[in-house]
Structure formats: C-alpha cells, structure tokens
Amino acid sequence: CFIPGVISNYRNWPLPLYLRLLPWFMFVLLLIEVIAAYVITNNYWIYNLYAILEYYFYSFALHGMIRDKRLRQIIVYATGIYSLMAILNIAFVQGIHGYHSINAYLGSFFLAVFSCCYLNELFKRPDTIKLLTADSFWIACSILLIHCCTTLLIVPITFIELPQWEILQMLTNLVNCIAYSMFVIGCLCP
C-alpha cells in the first residue's frame, strides 16, 4: 500500500489529509510488524501501542470521510472515551505486557460502527458515486473487514491448542490480505 499510495499522492494532488497519510501509516505498520516479529521477543507491548495508534488513525480517516456533523462529533467523543478506557486499562487492569483485549474489542467495535455509518451515509447520498473509483468506499470497507473479522478470529486464539491456532492464523492472514488489498485499491482510486 505504501508505494502505490505515495505514487498516487503525487499524481493526484491535492488529496484529503487522511489519504495523504494512509501510505505512511501503512509503512509504519510494516515496520512495526517486522520489528515485532523478528527483533522483539515479548512483543505484546508494541502491538498494544500500535493498536491504539491504529484506532486513532482510522477514526481520523473516517472522521474525514463522514459529512454529517453529528456523526463527526460522535467520533470525537468516542475517541475521547476510548482514550480514557485505554489509559485506565493499561495502567490498572491488563497492563502493557499482555494482550489488551478490552482496548482491542472496544476500538474494533467503534471502528466497525463508524465504518457502517460512513457506508450508510454514502449509500444515502442523492448524487451518484461510482463505488469502484471511490477511495473512501474501499478504505471504509477495509476498516470494517479488518475490525469485524480479525477481532472474531483473535478471540479464540487465546483458548485453543496449537493445530487449530495455525488454522485461525491462516484465516487472519487471509482477511489481512483482502483488507490491505482494499487499502491499495483505495490509494489508487483518486
């Protein structure tokens, strides 16, 4: 997503800020994945911090896509609630060195709802939009896919044996491939 996004940014200037930042955010994601997988042994803390950063970025992107002022204000309030909950959870409940399921599920819930709100708003617009060339459509669908599917796949990973864990890991990777392909399409659309 990084290379096509950067190229698209320069070819289709000006773009909304969330679209200009998306390739760089994906590049940071790639760096975090590489560092967490190959450099750090106890890597929960880096994923926990990244998940919070991810929530903020995707909320920012959806805030930029949504036209309804009331929904945009709800995103701001929900981000405040999420921030407070994440800080309290890390400080007093689950800590930073274990999987922070409360933050992950709350963030995924909010992002799935915001994505659905945007798609609902998009489909109710009086003007016609070609969805295949609408960058925001692809990005919102990708956010929805990631936060609905991977959250449901990650829940059982902590409770199952290794052979079944590998199957869930393969399914999670498949969802990620589809979702990040949708991000690439979203970057190439403008």
Side-chain angles (χ1 to χ4, degrees), residues 3-60:
I3 294 172
V6 170
I7 292 169
S8 179
N9 277 349
Y10 288 109
R11 288 180 32 207
N12 300 304
W13 196 263
L15 291 172
L17 184 58
Y18 71 88
L19 271 178
R20 288 181 288 176
L21 294 176
L22 180 62
W24 299 101
F25 178 74
M26 291 298 148
F27 182 69
V28 169
L29 168 63
L30 176 65
L31 289 177
I32 289 171
E33 289 288 341
V34 168
I35 290 169
Y38 299 109
V39 178
I40 301 171
T41 53
N42 182 5
N43 58 14
Y44 278 119
W45 68 271
I46 198 164
Y47 283 120
N48 289 343
L49 294 176
Y50 171 74
I52 293 169
L53 175 68
E54 177 186 39
Y55 173 81
Y56 288 132
F57 180 78
Y58 290 150
S59 293
F60 168 74

